[in-house]
Amino acid sequence: MTVVTNNKWIGQRTIRPDGMDKVTGRAQFAADTNMPGMIWGKVLRSPHAHARIKSINTAKAEALPGVKAVVTARDIVDFPIEKGAVMLGIQDMRWMCRNVMAREKALFPGHPIAAVAATSEAIAAEACNLIEVDYEVLPFAIEIEDAIKSDAPILHEFNKFEGKPSNIAGRIEHKKGDLAEGFKKADIVIERSFTTRPVHQGYIEPHACLISVAPDGKTTIWSSSQGQFMVRAMTAHLTGIPQSDIRAIPAEIGGGFGGKTIVYLEPLATLLAKKSGRPVKMVMTREEVMRATGPTSGSKSTVKIGATKDGKIVAAHGTFYLQAGALPGSPIRGAVGCSFTPYDIPNLLSEGYDVCSNRSKVAAYRAPGAPIGAYAVECVLDEVAEVLKMDPLDFRLKNAAKEGTKAAHGPTFPRIGYIETVEAAKASDHYKAPLGKLQGRGVASGFWFNAGGESSAQVNITEDGNVVVTTGHPDIGGSRAGIANICAELLGIDYRRVSVIIGDTQTIGFSNLTGGSRVLFASSIVVTQSTEQIIKTLRERAAKIWEIDPEAVKWEDGAAHPVSPNAGQFPPLTLKDLAEKAPAMGGPIGAGVQLNTTGADGGFGTHICDVEVDVDLGIARVTRYTAVQDVGRAIHPGYVEGQLQGGVAQGIGWALNEEYIYTKEGKVDNPGFLDYRMPVCSDLPMIDCIMVEVPNPKHPQGVKGVGEVPLVPVMAAVANAIYNALGKRFYALPMSPPKVLEVIDAPETRQAAE
Amino acid sequence: MTELRYLAPNSLDEAIKAFAAAGSAGRILAGGTDLLVQMRAGVVKPGLIVDIKKIAEMTEIEQTADGGFRVGAAVSGMALHDHASFGKVWPGVLEAVNLIGSKQVQGRASAGGNLCNGSPAGDSVPAMVAAGAIVTVQGPDGRREMPVEQVPAGPGRTNFKPGEILVSFTLPPRPKGSSDAYLRMIPRTEMDIAVVGLGVSLTLKDGVCTAARVGLGAVAPTVLLVEAAAKALIGSKLDEAALNAAAAACSAACRPIDDKRGTIAYRTKVAGVLLKRTTAIAAQRAKGN
């Protein structure tokens, strides 16, 4: 692999290829697509948190004029429980088939019971109301403590934990050393318990799709997702249509953050389209998004850390209970595997429990599970550092993981950049800035695994000597801009001559979904290799024209040149020249590469947060924030910073205001953006970024994933800052005004302040 | 499917006739920033929508002969903002109206709609109550006037008679040394709904408060006129004791509920905090007048 060193385009803040369309409103999102003869699909959803479905009668709905098709769980391919797991990525199809349509039981308010397609949205909605469902309403459990009680209502009777029916669907652990021995060596031990509430990814674009099924079964899907191949595979599994017959076309995506790595509507719309013979469009309302799509888990954690007087962590134990929602699959791997990973801890036990409860099934959310675990761990570390009278960054430096450290989840680290992030934070102006009254500063670190996996690319030289790159990953973070920079760099041409598009499932090779901070890492490997093949072809073509050896031709500044005067005296042949001559010189120029990429290194970040607390109203405002991260190599610094800032913004929302609130009937009471309070621009300061670049040696451009780490440290950084301002610790999120004021007004706080 | 008719008459009489005839199926559309959202959510399904924006009186801002203002019920927040003198005389009312929704919403949303929506958390209402605004309403039986605080009947309800339409707000002339202010507590900094909202209007003479009105929102089924708080301020130099007494009166007036937006304890305390802060702003402004 050629390591790029001249860097004309890599590292530049080029204009993103999709930017113009997005700012002018031309970009086509899933709901923007229409077809002749199109009809509308709507979903009937369970009003109950937990109920056995005794019967469903759709006769009246089917008889309503304008109704063209009705589907229920009978139409969805079943994946019987007893036949064992059928995995598709991280999803088990047994749970997916029950999530897209309730089968034996309705498991949360909002769980789909049936779907209707009709000539208008209003008729489809009216038909949903005509469907008669006989429910046997069952007791429910939403909160973790209710779900793990010995007499809790059981969601899945077949699920056993320690031999008994249970809502605990799984447990994992990572272990290192001898925990008991480790704690014996500790001079101080601090143990704390924490809770966090479920929070939604908050993508602005609701789930939407348009699906057409031709009489011969050929199916076309336009939908918004983080992976058109995931959409194709899941739809094929759940409808029985072979993948070769399903063309899934990725629409522009209006935000995903992990939440669009599974399907909700596509299998239903496909079946409705197949039954009705008409293209079917489905668009969720915001309320449906909030009630029935995956937020991330609420959690209950206990973290115990022991350290010696000189500041060395000798033992740590973390227990993380995460809500999976209606069906198994909470991100315990992220909580268990990431939370302690920035530190070299000789004796460690990190364990996680996957807890089912009667709310919507969780979906991935930016470093799934890791922010939940890091919140607990980083808050306890702050307390340990305080007792040790050590600066919290010095304490982290003293215990930092580095090259050669064996992480509890398996790998022994290669060269990593964690220490650099802590040092950069310490050296920053922010960390040294003075603080005023009722202001406080907190720090926290975080880790995410990052990922590689399958990617395909096709790079073609157009007849006029420009470049079209096709990859298979929806662009949710600026990946097209990064790829254009890399391809332009390699070819030595202006990046505006490189057009990067996202192919559909039938025109580009399999590419795993956009998630895990994998896309630029993986796709730039296959784009680089494809481009290198093209450069080889171009050199061969020039050699043929000049009648010299290909080895005597070099590619530089967008043209073939003889390597030296000795090789011959020829004027350069540009990409344009060679493209024009292509028909006579062996045909079209292009190359495609498909790989299961490896070598993704984990990412580390360290954040500094300042808050100011209005002690009369209980409002904590973030006044200054700096995110430091080892980003490998910033191919497009603007979009790397965008990822850092976006992650921090979401974390501040999680820390301060976002939460699912339930009624006593178990329904979400705040299913919209008015009462589900994500931060708005004016809630946040400018978020400063310090990009530390420790290139990944296993990647041609040194790329590391950057999109997920920036959410991991935030809640702890905010909590530690609030402590620093008030001298009061919070052990539950969100730290919203009524909760903060309650603590401030507690008699012991008032006394301490005086 | 229910049929939906839309009318945009040029005269108030025509509007009242159609609105009264439609009975409970009729809805008035000013900016539509509440109505259209409620229709989309399926909360209301009107059979008739009467758009009042083509009625001149409804969209005018008029300075009255005595120095007061008459503001049409459908005047948008942005139009009020752009008026040459309204904001100088009634900065508190203006800041309250301009807090409704976002900048984009301000181009449509009106104080009239905010009042008729009947939400106890409507931002403009406590400021209008503090200002002592009188509303003019007209119905099949003619025109009448009532104090703004008498309009809300409970969440989503008004004391208008069937067929009556809100026409305008009349704000009184201001004696020297007067001003007003509005503050609300929201967890965010904008794009939010008041957990508590509080408007204060006052007059100062030689540092002594000679007149005051306090409007308090989001802490009871309707926006409240807190006369006890005003009494505590009047006659004082807005010293700590007076402010504490007024704050306590606001807290005492609260009849809130525990809900997703705030707890009883939180709202009760915040009402008092906002009284002090809002009064300080209004007094500061009044000193310059």
Side-chain angles (χ1 to χ4, degrees):
Chain A
M1 286 179 183
T2 320
V3 173
V4 176
T5 52
N6 57 343
N7 288 344
K8 187 166 167 27
W9 297 108
I10 290 176
Q12 294 300 310
R13 295 165 189 260
T14 52
I15 292 171
R16 61 194 296 159
D18 49 314
M20 184 64 86
D21 275 358
K22 282 180 177 160
V23 300
T24 58
R26 293 170 59 92
Q28 288 279 308
F29 295 90
D32 293 327
T33 313
N34 294 299
M35 275 187 89
M38 183 182 94
I39 59 174
W40 289 85
K42 276 275 169 205
V43 176
L44 171 69
R45 298 179 181 278
S46 168
H48 304 296
H50 195 193
R52 199 171 303 284
I53 301 169
K54 292 162 79 180
S55 68
I56 302 175
N57 185 344
T58 61
K60 284 184 192 158
E62 281 168 82
L64 186 72
V67 170
K68 301 292 178 192
V70 179
V71 300
T72 65
R74 279 195 301 268
D75 301 286
I76 310 268
V77 175
D78 187 16
F79 289 80
I81 307 291
E82 59 279 8
K83 286 200 175 161
V86 178
M87 297 306 291
L88 200 118
I90 59 166
Q91 302 295 346
D92 184 335
M93 292 312 297
R94 294 180 300 168
W95 316 141
M96 285 308 298
C97 82
R98 283 162 178 78
N99 196 48
V100 299
M101 198 68 98
R103 199 157 273 277
E104 301 83 5
K105 292 204 288 189
L107 297 164
F108 61 94
H111 201 166
I113 302 296
V116 178
T119 49
S120 77
E121 250 184 307
I123 296 173
E126 196 181 333
C128 284
N129 291 333
L130 295 175
I131 295 172
E132 294 160 338
V133 188
D134 187 7
Y135 294 106
E136 178 195 342
V137 178
L138 302 169
F140 64 88
I142 291 176
E143 305 302 336
I144 289 173
E145 50 209 75
D146 297 330
I148 60 177
K149 271 185 201 155
S150 57
D151 59 346
I154 301 295
L155 276 74
H156 306 293
E157 292 80 359
F158 57 84
N159 180 65
K160 303 250 184 341
F161 186 75
E162 292 171 346
K164 288 191 293 250
S166 169
N167 291 320
I168 297 177
R171 178 187 179 276
I172 59 168
E173 64 167 39
H174 294 313
K175 231 171 154 172
K176 202 179 146 184
D178 184 327
L179 202 63
E181 284 302 309
F183 277 116
K184 271 188 210 161
K185 289 181 195 141
D187 297 309
I188 70 145
V189 174
I190 289 179
E191 180 176 345
R192 298 283 182 257
S193 292
F194 300 83
T195 60
T196 70
R197 303 293 298 159
V199 294
H200 198 270
Q201 297 83 347
Y203 32 83
I204 299 302
E205 181 200 23
H207 299 264
C209 65
L210 170 64
I211 297 179
S212 165
V213 182
D216 63 359
K218 294 280 190 286
T219 301
T220 310
I221 300 176
W222 289 265
S223 80
S224 168
S225 79
Q226 286 174 241
Q228 64 274 42
F229 290 91
M230 174 278 300
V231 168
R232 181 178 73 174
M234 291 232 175
T235 305
H237 271 304
L238 296 171
T239 63
I241 300 171
Q243 291 189 14
S244 53
D245 277 355
I246 302 176
R247 182 179 181 195
I249 300 173
E252 276 299 340
I253 178 168
F257 313 106
K260 290 180 183 165
T261 55
I262 66 175
V263 295
Y264 299 98
L265 299 176
E266 288 89 339
L268 310 183
T270 300
L271 290 167
L272 290 169
K274 196 176 165 187
K275 271 196 175 180
S276 65
R278 306 270 288 267
V280 172
K281 185 166 177 169
M282 296 181 86
V283 181
M284 279 196 197
T285 62
R286 177 66 51 195
E287 188 177 336
E288 286 179 295
V289 172
M290 296 303 286
R291 289 197 193 286
T293 71
T296 193
S297 308
S299 71
K300 208 174 134 66
S301 308
T302 300
V303 167
K304 181 179 172 186
I305 292 175
T308 57
K309 271 184 290 203
D310 62 345
K312 192 81 195 106
I313 302 171
V314 285
H317 180 196
T319 311
F320 307 100
Y321 285 87
L322 269 63
Q323 275 172 317
L327 295 150
S330 67
I332 46 178
R333 183 177 151 265
V336 171
C338 295
S339 308
F340 294 101
T341 305
Y343 311 103
D344 183 1
I345 303 172
N347 306 293
L348 177 71
L349 174 62
S350 185
E351 49 185 336
Y353 294 86
D354 185 22
V355 183
C356 290
S357 75
N358 295 105
R359 34 147 286 192
S360 53
K361 171 178 162 56
V362 299
Y365 180 24
R366 221 166 182 159
I372 292 170
Y375 161 61
V377 170
E378 296 289 319
C379 284
V380 175
L381 286 177
D382 203 60
E383 289 199 49
V384 176
E386 189 192 16
V387 172
L388 291 169
K389 296 191 169 56
M390 275 182 86
D391 172 274
L393 290 179
D394 285 335
F395 178 53
R396 284 171 173 82
L397 276 178
K398 181 141 194 165
N399 294 285
K402 51 187 173 292
E403 185 168 357
T405 301
K406 177 146 173 40
H409 68 278
T412 299
F413 286 126
R415 172 86 173 86
I416 53 172
Y418 175 55
I419 287 175
E420 285 84 346
T421 69
V422 184
E423 283 173 342
K426 232 187 125 185
S428 68
D429 289 344
H430 182 175
Y431 200 60
K432 296 171 201 144
L435 286 166
K437 207 171 156 243
L438 296 173
Q439 293 179 340
R441 179 167 297 147
V443 299
S445 294
F447 166 81
W448 174 249
F449 306 114
N450 289 332
E454 303 93 334
S455 274
S456 302
Q458 176 70 33
V459 180
N460 290 329
I461 306 301
T462 57
E463 298 96 294
D464 61 355
N466 293 309
V467 187
V468 176
V469 181
T470 308
T471 69
H473 312 289
D475 174 2
I476 63 172
S479 57
R480 278 171 288 192
I483 286 166
N485 280 4
I486 288 170
C487 191
E489 189 78 60
L490 294 168
L491 284 169
I493 59 172
D494 191 297
Y495 89 101
R496 281 163 291 209
R497 291 173 61 191
V498 183
S499 172
V500 185
I501 64 155
I502 315 299
D504 67 62
T505 52
Q506 315 310 74
T507 56
I508 186 71
F510 177 76
S511 300
N512 210 326
L513 52 75
T514 299
S517 293
R518 60 175 298 271
V519 164
L520 192 65
F521 170 85
S523 63
S524 60
I525 292 176
V526 286
V527 169
T528 297
Q529 293 190 12
S530 303
T531 308
E532 284 171 343
Q533 284 185 27
I534 285 174
I535 291 171
K536 185 166 173 280
T537 304
L538 292 166
R539 287 171 47 229
E540 285 165 2
R541 297 271 170 103
K544 212 164 153 188
I545 291 165
W546 294 333
E547 296 178 336
I548 63 175
D549 191 274
E551 293 305 310
V553 179
K554 64 178 179 183
W555 187 264
E556 218 171 75
D557 294 332
H561 306 261
V563 283
S564 69
N566 292 345
Q569 296 277 1
F570 304 105
L573 281 166
T574 64
L575 187 58
K576 189 164 184 288
D577 298 333
L578 290 165
E580 277 168 7
K581 293 177 200 298
M585 302 301 300
I589 305 167
V593 169
Q594 297 180 279
L595 281 177
N596 189 359
T597 63
T598 57
D601 274 354
F604 295 89
T606 298
H607 291 191
I608 312 166
C609 173
D610 288 2
V611 297
E612 183 171 306
V613 184
D614 179 332
V615 292
D616 293 320
L617 298 179
I619 300 174
R621 293 248 186 265
V622 176
T623 52
R624 187 170 181 181
Y625 202 102
T626 303
V628 188
Q629 190 170 318
D630 169 20
V631 301
R633 179 82 176 92
I635 302 298
H636 191 304
Y639 299 130
V640 173
E641 288 168 354
Q643 288 293 314
L644 268 53
Q645 291 165 333
V648 171
Q650 289 184 309
I652 291 172
W654 194 341
L656 294 180
N657 278 307
E658 289 179 43
E659 62 174 318
Y660 270 56
I661 301 166
Y662 293 92
T663 65
K664 57 183 190 302
E665 293 78 33
K667 276 190 171 175
V668 178
D669 198 22
N670 55 338
F673 285 148
L674 184 56
D675 287 303
Y676 180 85
R677 290 189 167 79
M678 291 165 60
V680 296
C681 288
S682 53
D683 292 335
L684 305 171
M686 184 62 196
I687 294 157
D688 296 314
C689 300
I690 299 175
M691 294 184 287
V692 173
E693 293 189 287
V694 179
N696 177 354
K698 288 171 275 182
H699 187 277
Q701 287 86 25
V703 168
K704 287 177 184 168
V706 299
E708 287 169 290
V709 174
L711 180 55
V712 181
V714 186
M715 288 93 78
V718 175
N720 292 339
I722 293 177
Y723 168 72
N724 189 238
L726 293 177
K728 195 77 200 170
R729 299 240 176 230
F730 287 80
Y731 297 102
L733 299 182
M735 295 172 285
S736 57
K739 289 167 191 165
V740 171
L741 196 65
E742 200 181 328
V743 170
I744 290 171
D745 283 349
E748 65 275 15
T749 316
R750 284 287 178 200
Q751 272 168 12
E754 279 152 19
Chain B
M1 298 287 102
T2 3
E3 199 172 293
L4 172 62
R5 287 190 306 132
Y6 168 85
L7 284 181
N10 293 312
S11 80
L12 188 52
D13 288 342
E14 215 183 317
I16 289 164
K17 205 175 149 195
F19 182 53
S24 65
R27 282 288 184 286
I28 299 295
L29 175 83
T33 57
D34 282 312
L35 179 63
L36 298 187
V37 175
Q38 289 163 3
M39 285 170 64
R40 195 181 158 91
V43 179
V44 294
K45 291 189 174 78
L48 173 73
I49 288 177
V50 182
D51 186 341
I52 55 169
K53 288 194 291 298
K54 292 214 164 85
I55 303 167
E57 193 181 0
M58 299 288 216
T59 54
E60 280 169 4
I61 306 167
E62 186 197 347
Q63 195 138 18
T64 54
D66 61 0
F69 281 92
R70 187 152 49 234
V71 179
V75 169
S76 72
M78 213 42 97
L80 201 59
H81 176 269
D82 290 346
H83 189 270
S85 58
F86 184 86
K88 293 192 181 85
V89 182
W90 293 104
V93 172
L94 182 63
E95 67 196 353
V97 172
N98 287 157
L99 278 174
I100 304 166
S102 61
K103 274 273 185 309
Q104 291 89 333
V105 167
Q106 281 289 308
R108 310 288 294 180
S110 63
N114 201 221
L115 176 65
C116 295
N117 188 46
S119 164
D123 282 307
S124 67
V125 187
M128 286 286 191
V129 168
I134 304 292
V135 300
T136 300
V137 295
Q138 192 168 324
D141 299 332
R143 205 170 252 240
R144 65 180 178 125
E145 292 186 336
M146 62 202 280
V148 69
E149 59 270 21
Q150 287 177 15
V151 174
R157 293 183 296 116
T158 67
N159 287 315
F160 295 156
K161 293 176 191 150
E164 275 187 333
I165 299 177
L166 175 70
V167 180
S168 61
F169 297 88
T170 303
L171 288 92
R174 297 297 263 163
K176 197 173 165 356
S178 300
S179 197
D180 67 337
Y182 174 78
L183 282 180
R184 62 176 182 179
M185 158 58 210
I186 52 171
R188 284 193 286 222
T189 45
E190 59 178 323
M191 300 291 292
D192 213 329
I193 188 161
V195 177
V196 181
L198 192 141
V200 173
S201 172
L202 50 74
T203 304
L204 296 181
K205 197 176 175 202
D206 303 327
V208 176
C209 178
T210 56
R213 283 173 66 91
V214 175
L216 180 56
V219 295
T222 62
V223 172
L224 306 171
L225 172 67
V226 191
E227 285 171 323
K231 257 186 213 148
L233 297 176
I234 295 167
S236 81
K237 291 196 155 183
L238 305 182
D239 50 282
E240 207 181 323
L243 290 172
N244 283 339
C250 286
S251 293
C254 293
R255 283 175 282 130
I257 49 168
D258 270 327
D259 71 0
K260 60 194 172 188
R261 289 174 187 153
T263 58
I264 292 170
Y266 184 75
R267 286 182 153 126
T268 305
K269 162 147 193 204
V270 167
V273 173
L274 290 189
L275 180 280
K276 291 183 185 178
R277 292 185 182 185
T278 314
T279 303
I281 296 168
Q284 189 62 37
R285 287 173 178 166
K287 279 173 195 156
N289 290 341

